[in-house]
Every structure is written in structure tokens, then in C-alpha cells.
Amino acid sequence: MAFESYRKLVTLLKQKCPLAFPISVKRIKLSKIDGDCCLHKKKFYIRINKDISEELAIDTLLHEFAHARAWNHLHDSQDLCDFHENSHDAMWGVAYSEVYQIYEKYFND
């Protein structure tokens, strides 16, 4: 079954890595980016480009899930350039570490 590991990881992260709000994760056609994360009406939305490999989709999911985990409401009013620069701060780094540790524990035993 295609993208089986990716789908298992989505489920695992939702179970093991709590967020401030519910989350929707979808693979869709995106141009120019591998994925993104946003907060809209108290729900996180992660979009992953469906044209990338499963390995890259997993890497992108880990990255974007960390954004949801470390979300700072100051990001809500920033334009895209400021958001990209400011959203990869120390809090995001810690969140990425937490998300990656879950991945490592359950997928690399």
C-alpha cells in the first residue's frame, strides 16, 4: 500500500504529540512547496504536496507538525516572509526535536 508509513506517522503524531487545537493533515497538489502549516479558526491545517516521495513527505510532515506544536499566536498576523523567518525559532527547534523523537522511537526500533 502506497504511503503506508506516512499514514501511520500521521496517526501516531496525532496520538502522541498533543497540540493546542485539532489538526487536519492532507496530501494535495501544491506548486513550489513541499508543505505548509496554518491555523484557521482554532484548527491547524497541514498540507503536504502529493507529488513528492514518501520519504520527503515524512520529512515535511515532521517539519510542519513541529510548527503546529510550537505555534505562537504572534505568527497569526505576520506576512509570509516574516512568518518563515520567525517561525523557525528556538521554540520550533524544541518542538521539532520532540516530534522527531516520537518518529525515531516508533519507526526506527
Side-chain angles (χ1 to χ4, degrees):
M1 185 179 280
F3 281 75
E4 183 176 344
S5 292
Y6 168 85
R7 284 195 304 282
K8 286 181 180 177
L9 181 59
V10 169
T11 301
L12 180 69
L13 290 175
K14 286 179 176 182
Q15 292 172 348
K16 302 286 184 186
C17 198
L19 301 173
F21 301 108
I23 188 164
S24 169
V25 179
K26 297 195 184 226
R27 290 180 55 234
I28 66 168
K29 184 143 179 89
L30 296 170
S31 62
K32 300 182 183 178
I33 61 172
D34 294 334
D36 61 14
C37 175
C38 70
L39 177 64
H40 181 69
K41 296 184 179 180
K42 295 188 177 185
K43 185 170 184 176
F44 288 111
Y45 293 88
I46 291 179
R47 302 181 311 162
I48 306 293
N49 190 337
K50 72 176 190 174
D51 291 335
I52 60 178
S53 69
E54 182 175 28
E55 182 179 343
L56 183 53
I58 287 171
D59 288 344
T60 303
L61 173 63
L62 295 170
H63 179 106
E64 300 304 336
F65 210 94
H67 280 301
R69 183 111 166 111
W71 196 269
N72 178 334
H73 290 286
L74 295 175
H75 300 327
D76 296 342
S77 61
Q78 294 178 337
D79 68 32
L80 189 57
C81 291
D82 288 339
F83 174 82
H84 183 74
E85 182 178 325
N86 296 329
S87 66
H88 294 97
D89 58 6
M91 286 182 60
W92 177 84
V94 169
Y96 184 81
S97 175
E98 293 170 346
V99 170
Y100 195 81
Q101 286 177 9
I102 290 169
Y103 169 72
E104 283 285 309
K105 180 177 180 180
Y106 291 94
F107 281 82
N108 290 323
D109 282 342

